[in-house]
Structures are given as structure tokens and as C-alpha cells.
Amino acid sequence: MAFCCLFISALLFALSSAQYEFFTSISQMNDLLLSEKALVAALKEYIRAEDNKLQRIKKWANQLDNITAAATQDPEGFLGHPVNAYKLIRRLNTEWAEIENLVLTEYSEAFRINLTVQRQYFPNDEDQVGAARALMRLQDVYQLDTNTIAAGKLPGSSHDSILCSIMTVDDCFDLGKVAYWDGDYYHTELWMEQALKQLDKGENSTTVDAITILDYLSYSVYQLGALRKALKYTKRLLKLDPTHQRANGNVKYFEYQVSKLTMEEKSGLKGEKRKGRSEGNQDRDKYEALCRGEGTLMTPQRQSRLFCRYFHNHHPRYIIGPVKVEDEWDSPRIVRYHDIVSDREMEKVKELAKPRLRRATVSDPITGETTTAHYRVSKSAWLGSLEHPVVDQINQRIQDLTGLDVSTAEALQVANYGVGGQYEPHYDFGRKDEPEAFVQLGTGNRIATWLLYMSDVSAGGATVFTDARFAIWPKKGTAVFWYNLYPSGDGDFSTKHAACPVLVGNKWVANKWLHERGQEFRRRCGLKETD
């Protein structure tokens, strides 16, 4: 137990630098795995003292020991599976408290002290809810059914990760509850039905029974307009518990409404109209389709106009060793630079950024102030050119290859995406209805964007341009570049883009936003305003 106390104490310094909202960054969740592994070790010490009395805890701890042993061999790979990330947050926020109640005896004081001290660094309810919402977001964007997610068989996931990623009845029920309290009855029905299905197949649950699930289901499907289904679930509930007060009241109401509906259907007046997931948002549908690799406007004619080439931009440094450039799109023109940074440089940038990662923010269009937003799920850190020679080298490389002055650019923003991490469609430049955007910087609008990919992503995580209708997929060591403004200074609205949710994997990127000031003689205006 003394060893466990020392090991846990050693973790506290690393954990103390982290903030909540763990679900918004895979990188900062690595510490949670180490934290959980230490708790498992402490728990096993306690089990050896009271093995005969606490067989239930021993079984639970052994299961977690297998998971954490496999997970800590490749933490980022393990947490790259969103189900693994969700279950880790749920265990630390919910299940460890239940275990604590089981070990409150005079012999368990040392373990309880360890757990109490470390709990201040655990994920909280906000993390658990955020991770649950992320799973449902992935379900929608990538059109996954609950069976696929519950079995852990996500596209891009390995067989080894699936062994740890299976969702229990309790996991499914918790997702359904999050949706229920959000008033999202569409997902409530999906996940409560999955929980019920797994119960019916004989899976055990320690926290929920079929009666509770059916109670949630009957109300949710009623809210969705499925009267007959609501009646069916209510009758099944009453078979299990004939004294259920709410169900006895509801069954009479549902029977009346169903009989009334049947009569209307026979007379041809109307039929049952069921509400589904909110529809009618064409921009949203277009965005999600592009994330799945669907709906792009790539044609053979357009493809024939896109080329690969060696490029030096007339810079002495690259005339002997030019870089590989690939045209990704023609309008707006977007190019990708291949092998533009080394693995060593990327690892150093990540190392510098990790201690500073904080929830990514957006600019409020009214006030110009920065704030967090539900549509941007990631953590970011800012690195200036004086932070380290590697940062300065990357900045210089951007200037050499783009021909733009980086002295007026923003610092390098390093971002790590969390569970279902995304950034919904947005413009990088400030529009005319956002007069306060970037005023404090005093360097004008964002003229161009440089986006560096510092990791491969197993599934999802594309950068999509929703108006131009195409997608760019992350490739480690490459960078894409585009202009946000026309030479006239007007915004190019075809550059509206988004970072798709990360389905499986760990996504690291670095952004460099270049501004207008300093580019007057580097990117001249044309003779016509429309140039």
C-alpha cells in the first residue's frame, strides 16, 4: 500500500496542471489512464487483505486491470476509440465512487485516503455528459447504429481495441439518460432500446432494470409521436410491475389516443406521424455527408486541372531541395505541402503544447471576445516563435513557401481533438458584420490559413469545405494552405470549412493565421476589384 501511495502522489503534479473538460482533448486524458492504473493497483492491495469478503470487488478490479494494462501500452491508440474514452470518464466519475462505498471498513482507510486525495483531479459530470454527447454526435455524422457502437466495431478501430470497447447495459442506459435530460428523445429511444435489447439477451446490470428502461422508452417514443409503440412499451412495463402508478395512468391515455388514431386512419383523415432527428438543415446535412466522404463535387474534368509538382518559390533554400506540392482544389485554390515537417519537429511542438492545452475558444461575432462553444470540441495552446527554435523554423518555412510575411501573423495554434472532437462550419476571416474581429491585434483581417497535420487519423477527422463541396483528409507531416481573402481584401466565402468529428484516433493539428498587414508588396491588389 505504501508503494501505491507514493505512485499516486507522483501523479498529482502532472494532474494538477490539467483542467476539467478532459473529453475535449485525447492528449490530456493520458494522465487519467495512469491515474486509473494506480487506483487499480491500490484496490488490489486492499483485496488481498479481505479477499474472501470482497469477491465482487476483486472480479471488477481484475477486469479493469486487464483494460488498463492494455491501454497504457498505447494510451493514445486506446483513447482514440471514442467508446474507450467515454467508459474511462464514466468509470472515474461514477463507478469508482460506488466501489468506494463497498470498501468503507476499518482496513480500507489507506485506500480511501488515496481515492479521496486523487478524486479532485477526476473527470466530473460535465466530462461524462460531454463524452456521451460526443458519442451521439459520431453516431449521427457517420450514420452508425447503436449495435455497431455498443460492440465497439467502429470503422478504423483495431480488433484489440474492440475487446475493451464493448458497452454494457449501464453504459447504454447512461447515454439514453443524457439524451433524455437534453430533451433529445430521438437518441433516448435508440440507446434505451439498445440497453433493453442487451438485458433481454441475458446481460446483467447492477444499476438499472427493464422496468426503469421501459418507463423512459414509453415516454420518449410518445414525445416522438409513436403512439402505438408507446402503448406497447407501457403494456410490457405493466406485465413486469402491475402496480406501477404512472404506467397505469398512461396506458388508458395511450389506448384512447391509439383508438382515436385508428378511426382517423380508417376514415382517411390522417396517419401516425413520427418525429425523427431534426431535419431541414441543408448546411448540416451537407457537412455531415462530406465528413463521410459523400457529396463531393470532384469530377474527372476538375481532377484533370489538379497537379503535383516540385516547388521552390524562387527561394535559395529550396532551389536545390524543392518541396512536394499537390493541388487539392481549384476554387478556392488549396494546395498541400508534403513532408513539410519532420517527426522530430512535430513531437517537439506537441511536447511544448501539452502542458498548456486549454479548451479551444471562438470569437464572439458581437463583442469580439473569445468564448467556448459546443460546436468546437478540442483543446489548444499558442506557441510564439521565441518558445523554441523548432517553432521559429516552422514559421520561417511558412514565410519562405507562401511568400507572406509571418511577422504580423498570429502565434502558432496547436490543437488536439478529444472524443468526437470537431469544429463545425466557420470562416477563418472576419466578415463585415463582425467589425470587432481581430481589431485588438491591429494587423488587419486573416488573409490566409496554413493548417499543419501532425498525426494520421484512423477514421473521421477530415477538413471539409462545405460550400465548395470537397474534403481533405489528415496526413501526418503535410500542411494545406489557402487564401481567405481575395486580392481586393474582400472575404472569399467559398472558404467556409469545418473539422469533422474524429471517429477513431487522435488528431493533432497546428494552425498559422496570416494577416493583411505586411503583405502589401507581397500580394498586390489586381487592377480590377474582382481580381
Side-chain angles (χ1 to χ4, degrees), residues 64-193:
L64 280 189
D65 196 29
N66 293 333
I67 292 174
T68 54
T72 50
Q73 291 178 10
D74 179 16
E76 292 196 351
F78 179 83
L79 291 171
H81 196 297
V83 173
N84 286 339
Y86 168 73
K87 287 170 71 71
L88 171 65
I89 288 174
R90 182 175 180 273
R91 283 198 303 272
L92 288 172
N93 186 49
T94 303
E95 294 181 16
W96 276 100
E98 297 169 359
I99 289 298
E100 182 184 21
N101 292 332
L102 293 175
V103 297
L104 290 179
T105 68
E106 58 180 312
Y107 303 107
S108 64
E109 188 62 24
F111 171 76
R112 191 161 63 90
I113 291 173
N114 279 336
L115 189 57
T116 301
V117 170
Q118 198 166 353
R119 182 179 284 111
Q120 62 184 310
Y121 307 107
F122 277 11
N124 58 13
D125 289 342
E126 182 184 351
D127 281 300
Q128 188 170 333
V129 169
R133 288 171 178 161
L135 278 178
M136 289 181 274
R137 181 165 61 248
L138 292 173
Q139 179 180 14
D140 293 340
V141 173
Y142 297 106
Q143 296 183 341
L144 304 171
D145 59 53
T146 52
N147 274 321
T148 298
I149 299 175
K153 297 178 180 178
L154 302 182
S157 61
S158 66
H159 178 72
D160 291 340
S161 66
I162 292 174
L163 296 177
C164 302
S165 310
I166 297 172
M167 297 183 71
T168 64
V169 170
D170 297 335
D171 294 328
C172 297
F173 176 71
D174 278 355
L175 253 68
K177 274 204 307 184
V178 169
Y180 179 84
W181 291 115
D182 284 345
D184 177 6
Y185 301 114
Y186 170 77
H187 287 104
T188 304
E189 178 188 3
L190 292 178
W191 285 103
M192 290 298 176
E193 283 186 338

Side-chain angles (χ1 to χ4, degrees), residues 269-413:
L269 293 177
K270 66 177 183 179
E272 187 176 50
K273 290 185 178 180
R274 177 188 171 85
K275 302 174 186 175
R277 186 182 170 218
S278 57
E279 300 171 355
N281 189 333
Q282 293 184 351
D283 286 342
R284 180 80 195 178
D285 294 342
K286 187 164 51 177
Y287 159 57
E288 293 183 356
L290 288 169
C291 290
R292 297 190 296 271
E294 304 168 2
T296 66
L297 294 182
M298 179 63 75
T299 63
Q301 291 80 10
R302 171 170 265 134
Q303 184 71 57
S304 68
R305 297 194 296 268
L306 306 179
F307 297 94
C308 297
R309 66 187 71 81
Y310 285 101
F311 180 74
H312 54 68
N313 201 28
H314 305 292
H315 193 284
R317 186 178 288 115
Y318 298 102
I319 289 178
I320 296 177
V323 298
K324 293 176 284 187
V325 178
E326 176 186 3
D327 291 332
E328 287 284 354
W329 205 249
D330 55 351
S331 182
R333 185 166 187 264
I334 299 177
V335 297
R336 187 196 296 255
Y337 297 91
H338 288 268
D339 303 321
I340 201 63
V341 289
S342 66
D343 286 343
R344 180 189 63 81
E345 289 173 320
M346 288 184 283
E347 290 309 308
K348 174 53 69 174
V349 169
K350 293 177 189 177
E351 178 187 325
L352 293 170
K354 282 180 181 178
R356 308 187 205 176
L357 288 174
R358 298 294 182 268
R359 178 71 184 269
T361 59
V362 297
S363 177
D364 188 299
I366 306 300
T367 65
E369 299 294 325
T370 57
T371 181
T372 59
H374 70 277
Y375 54 83
R376 189 178 191 186
V377 182
S378 64
K379 284 190 175 179
S380 61
W382 297 85
L383 302 180
S385 58
L386 299 179
E387 303 276 348
H388 192 276
V390 164
V391 180
D392 185 49
Q393 290 166 13
I394 292 174
N395 288 339
Q396 186 62 51
R397 206 166 300 160
I398 295 171
Q399 177 166 301
D400 294 343
L401 294 173
T402 65
L404 298 176
D405 188 349
V406 298
S407 66
T408 58
E410 296 173 50
L412 190 70
Q413 186 194 50

Side-chain angles (χ1 to χ4, degrees), residues 423-475:
Y423 190 0
E424 291 185 4
H426 62 281
Y427 301 100
D428 280 351
F429 63 90
R431 289 161 287 166
K432 291 182 179 179
D433 59 351
E434 300 172 317
E436 299 300 318
F438 316 122
V439 167
Q440 294 179 346
L441 298 179
T443 52
N445 211 342
R446 285 174 173 171
I447 191 173
T449 296
W450 172 282
L451 174 59
L452 170 64
Y453 295 111
M454 296 194 296
S455 66
D456 294 313
V457 179
S458 300
T463 305
V464 298
F465 288 73
T466 52
D467 287 356
R469 299 282 292 276
F470 75 101
I472 295 175
W473 301 94
K475 184 177 181 183

